[in-house]
């Protein structure tokens, strides 16, 4: 009986999410909490996605863009990711009337090559500057950020360093420092030949095996360098500087980022909201399997009348398992 009820809940939520993207639509609504914003029609919800490159800070950055809304949203991919590998459902289904959506490939990732990806000590700060300068080059006056994994860390840097330019922010799978436990997890993914085919295949198709393997090893070394700094610091000193309304999402079964990282960010970003998703692995669902479940993770919100960025957010829900 319980399993049947959970299945019914899953089906209901997936149907809701496939009709327009509830979380972004309500999350970014300028309306008061009790005003419902209608869903975009079919034409608006499935508009054209364009791709281009533009010169920013000495490199040619690739981006995808869709929608005609006044609210600009930048999607920031995770480690080794790109707009097309990490955010296909969001590019397809975020409301095109409310938002102009941009998904970028950080330098050395996706189609923003050359150059090859490298990881100097300031690579997150460099990515944040690239991201902000890209959006300024595209003539956006202010943007909101949706970032996951490394993209979430980059979003934190951007929000802290450029507070007047960042409107609102959602991050998931991010961390502000590196621990010994993290370092053990990172070493466990160094060798891409040991990854499952399902995980490796889309990235191997994008990069080729050799570049993927080499860059993954470089990433492990790059993220590991923070372990040797005081308190393993990546951006913990910047969290109090974040001024924009912020939602932190974390999945119980995230294999790379333990929950204490989300708790720490929530504690140190003033006024932030925290959404704990039980029985769910955001790494697998949002990146490796972009589909209804991924759309569900990003698009669902507990109440169709809630507005998390105007101080009214209900208790985080216990969502049905995606498995």
């Amino acid at each position: 009986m319980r399993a049947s009820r959970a299945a019914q809940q899953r089906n209901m939520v997936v149907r809701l999410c496939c009709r327009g993207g509830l979380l972004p639509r309500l999350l970014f609504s300028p309306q008061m909490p009790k005003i419902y914003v209608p869903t975009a029609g079919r034409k608006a919800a499935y508009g054209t996605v364009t791709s281009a490159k533009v010169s920013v800070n000495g490199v040619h950055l690739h981006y995808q863009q869709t929608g005609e809304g006044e609210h600009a949203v930048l999607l920031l991919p995770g480690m080794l990711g790109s707009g097309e590998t990490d955010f296909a459902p969001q590019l397809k289904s975020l409301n095109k009337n409310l938002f102009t959506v941009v998904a970028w490939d950080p330098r050395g990732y996706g189609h923003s090559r050359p150059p090859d990806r490298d990881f100097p000590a300031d690579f997150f700060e460099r990515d944040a500057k690239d991201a902000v300068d890209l959006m300024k080059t595209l003539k956006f006056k202010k943007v909101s950020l949706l970032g996951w994994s490394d993209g979430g860390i980059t979003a934190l840097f951007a929000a802290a360093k450029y507070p007047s330019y960042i409107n609102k922010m959602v991050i998931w799978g991010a961390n502000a420092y590196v621990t010994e436990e993290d370092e053990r997890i990172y070493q466990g993914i160094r060798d891409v030949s040991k990854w499952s085919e399902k995980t490796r295949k889309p990235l191997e198709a994008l990069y080729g095996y050799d570049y993927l393997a080499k860059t993954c090893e470089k990433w492990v070394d790059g993220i590991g360098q923070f372990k040797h700094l005081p308190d393993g610091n990546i951006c913990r000193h910047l969290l109090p500087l974040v001024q924009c309304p912020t939602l932190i999402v974390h999945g119980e079964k995230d294999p790379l980022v333990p929950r204490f990282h989300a708790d720490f960010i929530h504690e140190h970003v003033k006024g932030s909201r925290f959404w704990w998703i039980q029985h769910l692995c955001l790494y697998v669902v949002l990146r490796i399997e972009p589909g209804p479940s991924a759309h569900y993770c990003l698009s669902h919100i507990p109440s169709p009348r809630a507005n998390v960025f105007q101080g009214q957010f209900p208790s985080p829900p216990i969502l049905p398992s995606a498995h």
Side-chain angles (χ1 to χ4, degrees):
M1 181 70 175
R2 184 177 300 173
S4 176
R5 185 173 299 170
Q8 291 174 356
Q9 290 174 327
R10 281 200 302 273
N11 292 336
M12 177 183 70
V13 171
V14 168
R15 286 197 300 271
L16 286 172
C17 295
C18 289
R19 292 176 183 173
L22 293 176
L23 175 57
R25 179 161 51 83
L26 297 165
L27 196 63
F28 296 117
S29 171
Q31 307 295 333
M32 294 301 291
K34 292 187 177 180
I35 296 179
Y36 180 77
V37 181
T39 304
R42 178 175 297 273
K43 182 177 180 181
Y46 298 97
T48 301
V49 177
T50 60
S51 298
K53 282 189 174 184
V54 63
S55 180
V56 177
N57 298 330
V59 297
H60 287 87
L61 295 178
H62 176 264
Y63 67 95
Q64 296 170 283
Q65 181 171 328
T66 186
E68 299 177 351
E70 293 184 3
H71 194 141
V73 177
L74 176 64
L75 310 178
L76 298 99
M79 175 266 281
L80 293 168
S82 67
E84 72 179 74
T85 58
D86 287 16
F87 290 115
Q90 290 72 45
L91 285 166
K92 177 181 178 182
S93 298
L94 283 176
N95 190 309
K96 306 299 194 295
N97 288 332
L98 295 178
F99 309 117
T100 297
V101 182
V102 177
W104 82 310
D105 299 350
R107 62 171 71 197
Y109 283 162
H111 300 289
S112 293
R113 296 177 287 147
D116 286 356
R117 181 68 178 181
D118 63 350
F119 299 91
D122 65 344
F123 72 90
F124 282 118
E125 185 171 359
R126 181 186 65 183
D127 284 349
K129 178 172 172 50
D130 282 349
V132 168
D133 289 348
L134 167 66
M135 297 303 280
K136 289 181 177 179
T137 300
L138 297 178
K139 307 301 183 184
F140 293 108
K141 296 180 179 179
K142 202 167 186 178
V143 302
S144 291
L145 306 175
L146 273 69
W148 91 279
S149 183
D150 278 13
I153 302 174
T154 299
L156 288 168
F157 268 91
K161 294 281 188 177
Y162 310 95
S164 64
Y165 192 66
I166 306 305
N167 188 3
K168 300 170 183 178
M169 176 168 63
V170 183
I171 61 171
W172 60 105
N175 53 302
Y177 57 94
V178 175
T179 67
E180 290 185 3
E181 178 181 352
D182 297 321
E183 193 167 36
R184 288 193 296 270
I185 293 172
Y186 301 151
Q187 291 298 332
I189 64 169
R190 172 183 285 272
D191 185 353
V192 299
S193 70
K194 297 179 180 179
W195 293 11
S196 69
E197 182 179 356
K198 193 174 190 178
T199 301
R200 187 180 64 247
K201 189 174 181 180
L203 294 175
E204 189 173 345
L206 176 62
Y207 294 117
Y209 181 85
D210 290 343
Y211 187 84
L212 173 62
K214 177 182 67 174
T215 307
C216 183
E217 291 183 355
K218 289 163 64 175
W219 178 86
V220 171
D221 293 336
I223 196 74
Q225 66 188 310
F226 297 105
K227 173 65 175 62
H228 306 295
L229 298 179
D231 299 316
N233 182 40
I234 300 176
C235 62
R236 55 192 297 159
H237 62 296
L238 296 176
L239 300 184
L241 303 180
V242 175
Q243 299 176 20
C244 65
T246 300
L247 174 65
I248 300 150
V249 183
H250 193 78
E252 179 185 22
K253 296 185 179 295
D254 191 318
L256 291 183
V257 183
R259 173 173 172 164
F260 58 78
H261 284 301
D263 289 333
F264 183 88
I265 296 171
H266 176 43
E267 180 181 351
H268 290 85
V269 173
K270 185 177 180 180
S272 63
R273 303 294 181 178
F274 182 51
W275 187 7
W276 163 250
I277 304 182
Q278 196 174 16
H279 307 312
L280 202 61
C281 164
L282 293 180
Y283 178 82
V284 172
V285 174
L286 287 174
R287 179 170 178 184
I288 306 304
E289 298 178 350
S293 294
H295 194 178
Y296 164 33
C297 294
L298 190 60
S299 299
H300 180 63
I301 196 167
S303 166
R305 298 186 184 276
N307 187 322
V308 292
F309 289 140
Q310 297 197 17
Q312 305 219 2
F313 189 62
S315 299
I318 297 177
L319 300 179
S321 169
H323 304 296

